[in-house]
Amino acid sequence: MNKREVVTLALLIAVMPPLWAVLSPYMGISVGPVALICAGIYATNGNKFEDAHKIALGYLAGDIWALLVNRIMAHTPINPDLTLFLALAVFGFILVIISSKFANIIHMPSWLTGWAIGMLAMNLDTATPVLSLTVQIGAAMLAGVYYVGALLDKVHRLLNK
């Protein structure tokens, strides 16, 4: 990157993600930083907008996966370690099979990452109702891909033409 590209990127990073961080709680999203993590996968994938939808779908699938595992863990009377191991093994196996078969519509790394993000958020925040938290996580994931990731990249490219 040349000096102009670095400076415009630095300015955009200095404004857009902090704006999300300030505004997201006012939108009822308590997990705003999730967007920054999700933008990282989008950027690591090369800021390819043509992949944004499958990356977003992967995140949302991971969010649902986290919800399902959370509910299984909450309602299974057997050993929690065994339950966790089995849930992770089965869901992980299914995730890889599905995302491999449908790689053109769903992004396996974002599905895995979304699942981990969702499980972490649900384990750390036990006060928020789990369905509300799932929606908040999903909204933050979408903001990460489309606002912090794709829009920031689009503005950056426009400024450097």
Side-chain angles (χ1 to χ4, degrees):
M1 266 195 275
N2 66 38
K3 185 177 180 180
R4 177 188 169 104
E5 291 172 334
V6 170
V7 170
T8 56
L9 181 59
L11 289 170
L12 289 169
I13 294 290
V15 173
M16 292 178 73
L19 185 60
W20 167 256
V22 169
L23 295 178
S24 61
Y26 292 102
M27 294 184 273
I29 299 171
S30 64
V31 290
V34 165
L36 305 178
I37 299 166
C38 294
I41 293 285
Y42 178 83
T44 300
N45 192 59
N47 289 316
K48 293 185 272 184
F49 187 74
E50 63 270 14
D51 289 345
H53 306 313
K54 70 181 192 175
I55 291 170
L57 183 59
Y59 282 134
L60 296 177
D63 192 24
I64 291 167
W65 241 226
L67 173 64
L68 293 172
V69 171
N70 177 281
R71 296 296 77 208
I72 288 168
M73 294 302 298
H75 294 98
T76 304
I78 61 174
N79 180 294
D81 292 334
L82 177 60
T83 302
L84 180 61
F85 176 82
L86 291 173
L88 295 177
V90 170
F91 278 75
F93 180 87
I94 294 168
L95 180 159
V96 170
I97 299 300
I98 292 171
S99 60
S100 294
K101 183 161 179 65
F102 299 102
N104 58 328
I105 60 172
I106 194 158
H107 188 248
M108 185 189 309
S110 66
W111 192 346
L112 288 163
T113 303
W115 185 18
I117 291 167
M119 288 184 63
L120 177 63
M122 290 173 194
N123 285 333
L124 292 176
D125 182 350
T126 56
T128 304
V130 72
L131 288 176
S132 173
L133 189 56
T134 302
V135 171
Q136 291 179 50
I137 293 166
M141 289 172 166
L142 293 176
V145 172
Y146 293 109
Y147 171 70
V148 181
L151 182 61
L152 188 147
D153 182 56
K154 181 72 170 170
V155 172
H156 184 244
R157 290 174 196 245
L158 285 172
L159 290 173
N160 288 294
K161 274 191 173 183

